[in-house]
Amino acid sequence: MEFRPILMIIGVLTAILGCSMFLPAIADALVGNDDWIVFVTSGLITTLLGAGIWASSFGYDQSLNARQAFFMTAIIWVVLAVFGALPFYWAGINLNFTDAFFESMSGLTTTGATVISGLDDLPPGILLWRSLLQWFGGLGIIVMAVAVLPMLQIGGMQMFRAEAFDTAEKILPRAAQIASNMTTIYIALTFICAICYWAAGMGLFDAIAHSMTTVATGGFSTRDGSIDSYESAIIDYIAVTFMILGALPFLLYIKMVRGDLLGLWRDSQVRTFLLLLAAVTLVAILIQYVDDIDRGEVAFRHAIFSVTSVMTGTGYATTDYGSWGGIAITLFFIITFIGGCAGSTSCGIKIFRFQVLFLDLKQHIRQILYPSGVFVKRYNGQVISDTVSASVMSFIFLYFFFFIILALLLSLTGLDSLTAFSGAATAISNVGPGLGDIIGPSGNFGPLSDVSKWLISIGMIVGRLEIFTVLVLFLPRFWRG
């Protein structure tokens, strides 16, 4: 395998990550916190190493084949997580390397699980760095989902292959073009979200930090109490709005900008996502009424916020929905796996895969009833090939297989069943908080053992990279070419 094109990309992205570390340095310097030195040091190391790797690889053939793309996609997240952990490890917040790597991986994969407590008292540099990691991670996820995964035919993503990019050799220019368009939309949504938060009463710093993690559907907050700390219904609804916007396909935003204003609503997965969100919200409201938890607007707000946060994988919290009883725990555990739309910052199995699974089931039943009939499966007017169906079914099988293995391994570390299974679910679905007293909405992952944290970190990256991207690296045939 030719590694130089891979190293060039890794070098560029590492250098960009290093340059971004100077922003938290400025934030800490402005308030007189000594951690600015940590960010400057980390930034210089990361930038110089990244630039050196890029310079040593520049000038060679920049095309990527599928094998190189698989390897690059998997390794870049690990490399960036290691460098992203440096400020956490060296700052004065007393994190060992396991905790620092966990926090960095959680940020870049937009999981939102945290080991840090006492957020209200932390210096602005660390808080801003957590938000930046999720913001960069969200953008990277969009580009990966639109430019790389369709090319690699991961889990049915080939249905979303962009036009005019049909060969693996065009992954690099394709990614560059898409990244440019996506970044513009992404920055615009983040800016609008920050303005809305600020106008609703958030401080300017908190508004900027939360806008980055909201649009990225990441969920890192500057407060221990998450969004609930602001005790504002307006802020809650703003968060819900932009969590939903972050979970919709970003390619459709580009089409809207180009004049196709109804493109979003015409998309089958967008309609299904919104209808499912409404249905689960209604169930959550009924649960609160039956158990006399909350009523009226408060019940509606807590329901739609919690459901949106979990389904999109954001992980914000305004209430401890884990205390709503067994039915609520089961409901939120199930929707942890669903996720948002393909080509968004959201996570989970994704809506379109459930749709393809339903269409396969529908066709199979009709074939039983009418053996001589010919039935064609269509998704958004596009014929679904057997290859796509096989990819989706394989993905869903491996998704739950890996979830069970991860849950069992977490159980062996001494965690109770609820914590182990919800921890595995929240890791592979990149949601953030789990269920139970330890890692629930009112807790964090700090009390877990180092072994548990490494297992969950592996779960986060495997879930974020949609399993196959990591799995193929362990096949001997992959390395033989």
mmCIF file with all atom_site columns, all heavy atoms in Angstrom, residues 22-40:
data_model
loop_
_atom_site.group_PDB
_atom_site.id
_atom_site.type_symbol
_atom_site.label_atom_id
_atom_site.label_alt_id
_atom_site.label_comp_id
_atom_site.label_asym_id
_atom_site.label_entity_id
_atom_site.label_seq_id
_atom_site.pdbx_PDB_ins_code
_atom_site.Cartn_x
_atom_site.Cartn_y
_atom_site.Cartn_z
_atom_site.occupancy
_atom_site.B_iso_or_equiv
_atom_site.pdbx_formal_charge
_atom_site.auth_seq_id
_atom_site.auth_comp_id
_atom_site.auth_asym_id
_atom_site.auth_atom_id
_atom_site.pdbx_PDB_model_num
ATOM 1   N N   . PHE A 1 22 ? -4.730  27.310 19.279 1.00 0.00 ? 22 PHE A N   1
ATOM 2   C CA  . PHE A 1 22 ? -4.371  28.668 19.683 1.00 0.00 ? 22 PHE A CA  1
ATOM 3   C C   . PHE A 1 22 ? -5.599  29.490 20.078 1.00 0.00 ? 22 PHE A C   1
ATOM 4   O O   . PHE A 1 22 ? -5.470  30.492 20.785 1.00 0.00 ? 22 PHE A O   1
ATOM 5   C CB  . PHE A 1 22 ? -3.582  29.359 18.575 1.00 0.00 ? 22 PHE A CB  1
ATOM 6   C CG  . PHE A 1 22 ? -2.256  28.707 18.294 1.00 0.00 ? 22 PHE A CG  1
ATOM 7   C CD1 . PHE A 1 22 ? -2.035  28.007 17.123 1.00 0.00 ? 22 PHE A CD1 1
ATOM 8   C CD2 . PHE A 1 22 ? -1.228  28.766 19.230 1.00 0.00 ? 22 PHE A CD2 1
ATOM 9   C CE1 . PHE A 1 22 ? -0.824  27.391 16.873 1.00 0.00 ? 22 PHE A CE1 1
ATOM 10  C CE2 . PHE A 1 22 ? 0.000   28.157 18.994 1.00 0.00 ? 22 PHE A CE2 1
ATOM 11  C CZ  . PHE A 1 22 ? 0.201   27.465 17.808 1.00 0.00 ? 22 PHE A CZ  1
ATOM 12  N N   . LEU A 1 23 ? -6.779  29.075 19.623 1.00 0.00 ? 23 LEU A N   1
ATOM 13  C CA  . LEU A 1 23 ? -8.003  29.785 20.029 1.00 0.00 ? 23 LEU A CA  1
ATOM 14  C C   . LEU A 1 23 ? -8.286  29.623 21.524 1.00 0.00 ? 23 LEU A C   1
ATOM 15  O O   . LEU A 1 23 ? -8.526  30.618 22.224 1.00 0.00 ? 23 LEU A O   1
ATOM 16  C CB  . LEU A 1 23 ? -9.189  29.296 19.191 1.00 0.00 ? 23 LEU A CB  1
ATOM 17  C CG  . LEU A 1 23 ? -9.134  29.615 17.697 1.00 0.00 ? 23 LEU A CG  1
ATOM 18  C CD1 . LEU A 1 23 ? -10.320 28.982 16.974 1.00 0.00 ? 23 LEU A CD1 1
ATOM 19  C CD2 . LEU A 1 23 ? -9.141  31.128 17.486 1.00 0.00 ? 23 LEU A CD2 1
ATOM 20  N N   . PRO A 1 24 ? -8.250  28.390 22.080 1.00 0.00 ? 24 PRO A N   1
ATOM 21  C CA  . PRO A 1 24 ? -8.383  28.260 23.539 1.00 0.00 ? 24 PRO A CA  1
ATOM 22  C C   . PRO A 1 24 ? -7.248  28.949 24.293 1.00 0.00 ? 24 PRO A C   1
ATOM 23  O O   . PRO A 1 24 ? -7.454  29.438 25.416 1.00 0.00 ? 24 PRO A O   1
ATOM 24  C CB  . PRO A 1 24 ? -8.355  26.745 23.773 1.00 0.00 ? 24 PRO A CB  1
ATOM 25  C CG  . PRO A 1 24 ? -8.753  26.145 22.482 1.00 0.00 ? 24 PRO A CG  1
ATOM 26  C CD  . PRO A 1 24 ? -8.235  27.068 21.424 1.00 0.00 ? 24 PRO A CD  1
ATOM 27  N N   . ALA A 1 25 ? -6.066  28.985 23.684 1.00 0.00 ? 25 ALA A N   1
ATOM 28  C CA  . ALA A 1 25 ? -4.942  29.684 24.329 1.00 0.00 ? 25 ALA A CA  1
ATOM 29  C C   . ALA A 1 25 ? -5.271  31.159 24.505 1.00 0.00 ? 25 ALA A C   1
ATOM 30  O O   . ALA A 1 25 ? -5.002  31.755 25.572 1.00 0.00 ? 25 ALA A O   1
ATOM 31  C CB  . ALA A 1 25 ? -3.674  29.506 23.498 1.00 0.00 ? 25 ALA A CB  1
ATOM 32  N N   . ILE A 1 26 ? -5.856  31.752 23.473 1.00 0.00 ? 26 ILE A N   1
ATOM 33  C CA  . ILE A 1 26 ? -6.247  33.164 23.557 1.00 0.00 ? 26 ILE A CA  1
ATOM 34  C C   . ILE A 1 26 ? -7.318  33.354 24.623 1.00 0.00 ? 26 ILE A C   1
ATOM 35  O O   . ILE A 1 26 ? -7.266  34.309 25.421 1.00 0.00 ? 26 ILE A O   1
ATOM 36  C CB  . ILE A 1 26 ? -6.752  33.654 22.183 1.00 0.00 ? 26 ILE A CB  1
ATOM 37  C CG1 . ILE A 1 26 ? -5.613  33.652 21.170 1.00 0.00 ? 26 ILE A CG1 1
ATOM 38  C CG2 . ILE A 1 26 ? -7.364  35.052 22.297 1.00 0.00 ? 26 ILE A CG2 1
ATOM 39  C CD1 . ILE A 1 26 ? -6.057  33.926 19.738 1.00 0.00 ? 26 ILE A CD1 1
ATOM 40  N N   . ALA A 1 27 ? -8.298  32.431 24.666 1.00 0.00 ? 27 ALA A N   1
ATOM 41  C CA  . ALA A 1 27 ? -9.380  32.528 25.650 1.00 0.00 ? 27 ALA A CA  1
ATOM 42  C C   . ALA A 1 27 ? -8.831  32.473 27.077 1.00 0.00 ? 27 ALA A C   1
ATOM 43  O O   . ALA A 1 27 ? -9.266  33.238 27.949 1.00 0.00 ? 27 ALA A O   1
ATOM 44  C CB  . ALA A 1 27 ? -10.393 31.403 25.431 1.00 0.00 ? 27 ALA A CB  1
ATOM 45  N N   . ASP A 1 28 ? -7.874  31.571 27.333 1.00 0.00 ? 28 ASP A N   1
ATOM 46  C CA  . ASP A 1 28 ? -7.288  31.478 28.669 1.00 0.00 ? 28 ASP A CA  1
ATOM 47  C C   . ASP A 1 28 ? -6.418  32.687 28.986 1.00 0.00 ? 28 ASP A C   1
ATOM 48  O O   . ASP A 1 28 ? -6.404  33.179 30.120 1.00 0.00 ? 28 ASP A O   1
ATOM 49  C CB  . ASP A 1 28 ? -6.454  30.194 28.788 1.00 0.00 ? 28 ASP A CB  1
ATOM 50  C CG  . ASP A 1 28 ? -7.287  28.996 29.227 1.00 0.00 ? 28 ASP A CG  1
ATOM 51  O OD1 . ASP A 1 28 ? -8.398  29.215 29.741 1.00 0.00 ? 28 ASP A OD1 1
ATOM 52  O OD2 . ASP A 1 28 ? -6.840  27.851 29.061 1.00 0.00 ? 28 ASP A OD2 1
ATOM 53  N N   . ALA A 1 29 ? -5.676  33.178 27.987 1.00 0.00 ? 29 ALA A N   1
ATOM 54  C CA  . ALA A 1 29 ? -4.805  34.327 28.218 1.00 0.00 ? 29 ALA A CA  1
ATOM 55  C C   . ALA A 1 29 ? -5.614  35.570 28.577 1.00 0.00 ? 29 ALA A C   1
ATOM 56  O O   . ALA A 1 29 ? -5.192  36.388 29.409 1.00 0.00 ? 29 ALA A O   1
ATOM 57  C CB  . ALA A 1 29 ? -3.957  34.589 26.980 1.00 0.00 ? 29 ALA A CB  1
ATOM 58  N N   . LEU A 1 30 ? -6.785  35.707 27.978 1.00 0.00 ? 30 LEU A N   1
ATOM 59  C CA  . LEU A 1 30 ? -7.623  36.882 28.238 1.00 0.00 ? 30 LEU A CA  1
ATOM 60  C C   . LEU A 1 30 ? -8.121  36.939 29.684 1.00 0.00 ? 30 LEU A C   1
ATOM 61  O O   . LEU A 1 30 ? -8.375  38.025 30.219 1.00 0.00 ? 30 LEU A O   1
ATOM 62  C CB  . LEU A 1 30 ? -8.816  36.907 27.275 1.00 0.00 ? 30 LEU A CB  1
ATOM 63  C CG  . LEU A 1 30 ? -8.485  37.208 25.811 1.00 0.00 ? 30 LEU A CG  1
ATOM 64  C CD1 . LEU A 1 30 ? -9.732  37.079 24.941 1.00 0.00 ? 30 LEU A CD1 1
ATOM 65  C CD2 . LEU A 1 30 ? -7.882  38.605 25.677 1.00 0.00 ? 30 LEU A CD2 1
ATOM 66  N N   . VAL A 1 31 ? -8.278  35.756 30.310 1.00 0.00 ? 31 VAL A N   1
ATOM 67  C CA  . VAL A 1 31 ? -8.745  35.733 31.705 1.00 0.00 ? 31 VAL A CA  1
ATOM 68  C C   . VAL A 1 31 ? -7.605  35.476 32.677 1.00 0.00 ? 31 VAL A C   1
ATOM 69  O O   . VAL A 1 31 ? -7.829  35.320 33.873 1.00 0.00 ? 31 VAL A O   1
ATOM 70  C CB  . VAL A 1 31 ? -9.848  34.662 31.893 1.00 0.00 ? 31 VAL A CB  1
ATOM 71  C CG1 . VAL A 1 31 ? -11.055 34.973 31.026 1.00 0.00 ? 31 VAL A CG1 1
ATOM 72  C CG2 . VAL A 1 31 ? -9.330  33.259 31.628 1.00 0.00 ? 31 VAL A CG2 1
ATOM 73  N N   . GLY A 1 32 ? -6.370  35.411 32.156 1.00 0.00 ? 32 GLY A N   1
ATOM 74  C CA  . GLY A 1 32 ? -5.212  35.238 33.018 1.00 0.00 ? 32 GLY A CA  1
ATOM 75  C C   . GLY A 1 32 ? -5.004  33.832 33.543 1.00 0.00 ? 32 GLY A C   1
ATOM 76  O O   . GLY A 1 32 ? -4.347  33.641 34.571 1.00 0.00 ? 32 GLY A O   1
ATOM 77  N N   . ASN A 1 33 ? -5.532  32.830 32.830 1.00 0.00 ? 33 ASN A N   1
ATOM 78  C CA  . ASN A 1 33 ? -5.335  31.448 33.259 1.00 0.00 ? 33 ASN A CA  1
ATOM 79  C C   . ASN A 1 33 ? -4.058  30.886 32.632 1.00 0.00 ? 33 ASN A C   1
ATOM 80  O O   . ASN A 1 33 ? -3.811  31.036 31.443 1.00 0.00 ? 33 ASN A O   1
ATOM 81  C CB  . ASN A 1 33 ? -6.544  30.602 32.839 1.00 0.00 ? 33 ASN A CB  1
ATOM 82  C CG  . ASN A 1 33 ? -6.467  29.189 33.395 1.00 0.00 ? 33 ASN A CG  1
ATOM 83  O OD1 . ASN A 1 33 ? -5.841  28.320 32.805 1.00 0.00 ? 33 ASN A OD1 1
ATOM 84  N ND2 . ASN A 1 33 ? -7.104  28.958 34.532 1.00 0.00 ? 33 ASN A ND2 1
ATOM 85  N N   . ASP A 1 34 ? -3.248  30.208 33.463 1.00 0.00 ? 34 ASP A N   1
ATOM 86  C CA  . ASP A 1 34 ? -1.951  29.722 33.001 1.00 0.00 ? 34 ASP A CA  1
ATOM 87  C C   . ASP A 1 34 ? -2.034  28.607 31.970 1.00 0.00 ? 34 ASP A C   1
ATOM 88  O O   . ASP A 1 34 ? -1.017  28.256 31.360 1.00 0.00 ? 34 ASP A O   1
ATOM 89  C CB  . ASP A 1 34 ? -1.114  29.234 34.201 1.00 0.00 ? 34 ASP A CB  1
ATOM 90  C CG  . ASP A 1 34 ? -0.676  30.385 35.101 1.00 0.00 ? 34 ASP A CG  1
ATOM 91  O OD1 . ASP A 1 34 ? -0.659  31.530 34.611 1.00 0.00 ? 34 ASP A OD1 1
ATOM 92  O OD2 . ASP A 1 34 ? -0.359  30.133 36.281 1.00 0.00 ? 34 ASP A OD2 1
ATOM 93  N N   . ASP A 1 35 ? -3.203  28.032 31.782 1.00 0.00 ? 35 ASP A N   1
ATOM 94  C CA  . ASP A 1 35 ? -3.338  26.948 30.811 1.00 0.00 ? 35 ASP A CA  1
ATOM 95  C C   . ASP A 1 35 ? -3.118  27.414 29.376 1.00 0.00 ? 35 ASP A C   1
ATOM 96  O O   . ASP A 1 35 ? -3.016  26.574 28.463 1.00 0.00 ? 35 ASP A O   1
ATOM 97  C CB  . ASP A 1 35 ? -4.724  26.287 30.920 1.00 0.00 ? 35 ASP A CB  1
ATOM 98  C CG  . ASP A 1 35 ? -4.792  25.277 32.052 1.00 0.00 ? 35 ASP A CG  1
ATOM 99  O OD1 . ASP A 1 35 ? -3.729  24.925 32.588 1.00 0.00 ? 35 ASP A OD1 1
ATOM 100 O OD2 . ASP A 1 35 ? -5.907  24.851 32.402 1.00 0.00 ? 35 ASP A OD2 1
ATOM 101 N N   . TRP A 1 36 ? -3.015  28.712 29.159 1.00 0.00 ? 36 TRP A N   1
ATOM 102 C CA  . TRP A 1 36 ? -2.735  29.181 27.803 1.00 0.00 ? 36 TRP A CA  1
ATOM 103 C C   . TRP A 1 36 ? -1.397  28.633 27.314 1.00 0.00 ? 36 TRP A C   1
ATOM 104 O O   . TRP A 1 36 ? -1.221  28.350 26.123 1.00 0.00 ? 36 TRP A O   1
ATOM 105 C CB  . TRP A 1 36 ? -2.755  30.702 27.720 1.00 0.00 ? 36 TRP A CB  1
ATOM 106 C CG  . TRP A 1 36 ? -1.593  31.405 28.393 1.00 0.00 ? 36 TRP A CG  1
ATOM 107 C CD1 . TRP A 1 36 ? -1.538  31.858 29.666 1.00 0.00 ? 36 TRP A CD1 1
ATOM 108 C CD2 . TRP A 1 36 ? -0.337  31.725 27.790 1.00 0.00 ? 36 TRP A CD2 1
ATOM 109 N NE1 . TRP A 1 36 ? -0.321  32.449 29.923 1.00 0.00 ? 36 TRP A NE1 1
ATOM 110 C CE2 . TRP A 1 36 ? 0.438   32.378 28.776 1.00 0.00 ? 36 TRP A CE2 1
ATOM 111 C CE3 . TRP A 1 36 ? 0.225   31.528 26.531 1.00 0.00 ? 36 TRP A CE3 1
ATOM 112 C CZ2 . TRP A 1 36 ? 1.735   32.835 28.541 1.00 0.00 ? 36 TRP A CZ2 1
ATOM 113 C CZ3 . TRP A 1 36 ? 1.519   31.975 26.291 1.00 0.00 ? 36 TRP A CZ3 1
ATOM 114 C CH2 . TRP A 1 36 ? 2.252   32.617 27.285 1.00 0.00 ? 36 TRP A CH2 1
ATOM 115 N N   . ILE A 1 37 ? -0.483  28.426 28.248 1.00 0.00 ? 37 ILE A N   1
ATOM 116 C CA  . ILE A 1 37 ? 0.829   27.867 27.890 1.00 0.00 ? 37 ILE A CA  1
ATOM 117 C C   . ILE A 1 37 ? 0.663   26.433 27.389 1.00 0.00 ? 37 ILE A C   1
ATOM 118 O O   . ILE A 1 37 ? 1.329   25.998 26.442 1.00 0.00 ? 37 ILE A O   1
ATOM 119 C CB  . ILE A 1 37 ? 1.770   27.904 29.109 1.00 0.00 ? 37 ILE A CB  1
ATOM 120 C CG1 . ILE A 1 37 ? 1.955   29.348 29.584 1.00 0.00 ? 37 ILE A CG1 1
ATOM 121 C CG2 . ILE A 1 37 ? 3.121   27.287 28.759 1.00 0.00 ? 37 ILE A CG2 1
ATOM 122 C CD1 . ILE A 1 37 ? 2.750   29.474 30.868 1.00 0.00 ? 37 ILE A CD1 1
ATOM 123 N N   . VAL A 1 38 ? -0.226  25.688 28.039 1.00 0.00 ? 38 VAL A N   1
ATOM 124 C CA  . VAL A 1 38 ? -0.497  24.308 27.632 1.00 0.00 ? 38 VAL A CA  1
ATOM 125 C C   . VAL A 1 38 ? -1.024  24.264 26.196 1.00 0.00 ? 38 VAL A C   1
ATOM 126 O O   . VAL A 1 38 ? -0.574  23.442 25.377 1.00 0.00 ? 38 VAL A O   1
ATOM 127 C CB  . VAL A 1 38 ? -1.521  23.654 28.593 1.00 0.00 ? 38 VAL A CB  1
ATOM 128 C CG1 . VAL A 1 38 ? -2.033  22.334 28.027 1.00 0.00 ? 38 VAL A CG1 1
ATOM 129 C CG2 . VAL A 1 38 ? -0.908  23.448 29.963 1.00 0.00 ? 38 VAL A CG2 1
ATOM 130 N N   . PHE A 1 39 ? -1.944  25.133 25.883 1.00 0.00 ? 39 PHE A N   1
ATOM 131 C CA  . PHE A 1 39 ? -2.525  25.133 24.536 1.00 0.00 ? 39 PHE A CA  1
ATOM 132 C C   . PHE A 1 39 ? -1.523  25.603 23.486 1.00 0.00 ? 39 PHE A C   1
ATOM 133 O O   . PHE A 1 39 ? -1.492  25.060 22.368 1.00 0.00 ? 39 PHE A O   1
ATOM 134 C CB  . PHE A 1 39 ? -3.779  26.007 24.506 1.00 0.00 ? 39 PHE A CB  1
ATOM 135 C CG  . PHE A 1 39 ? -4.988  25.345 25.099 1.00 0.00 ? 39 PHE A CG  1
ATOM 136 C CD1 . PHE A 1 39 ? -5.452  25.693 26.357 1.00 0.00 ? 39 PHE A CD1 1
ATOM 137 C CD2 . PHE A 1 39 ? -5.657  24.354 24.403 1.00 0.00 ? 39 PHE A CD2 1
ATOM 138 C CE1 . PHE A 1 39 ? -6.560  25.077 26.916 1.00 0.00 ? 39 PHE A CE1 1
ATOM 139 C CE2 . PHE A 1 39 ? -6.774  23.718 24.942 1.00 0.00 ? 39 PHE A CE2 1
ATOM 140 C CZ  . PHE A 1 39 ? -7.219  24.083 26.211 1.00 0.00 ? 39 PHE A CZ  1
ATOM 141 N N   . VAL A 1 40 ? -0.695  26.585 23.828 1.00 0.00 ? 40 VAL A N   1
ATOM 142 C CA  . VAL A 1 40 ? 0.328   27.030 22.882 1.00 0.00 ? 40 VAL A CA  1
ATOM 143 C C   . VAL A 1 40 ? 1.334   25.913 22.622 1.00 0.00 ? 40 VAL A C   1
ATOM 144 O O   . VAL A 1 40 ? 1.701   25.635 21.473 1.00 0.00 ? 40 VAL A O   1
ATOM 145 C CB  . VAL A 1 40 ? 1.044   28.288 23.414 1.00 0.00 ? 40 VAL A CB  1
ATOM 146 C CG1 . VAL A 1 40 ? 2.290   28.590 22.577 1.00 0.00 ? 40 VAL A CG1 1
ATOM 147 C CG2 . VAL A 1 40 ? 0.112   29.487 23.388 1.00 0.00 ? 40 VAL A CG2 1
#
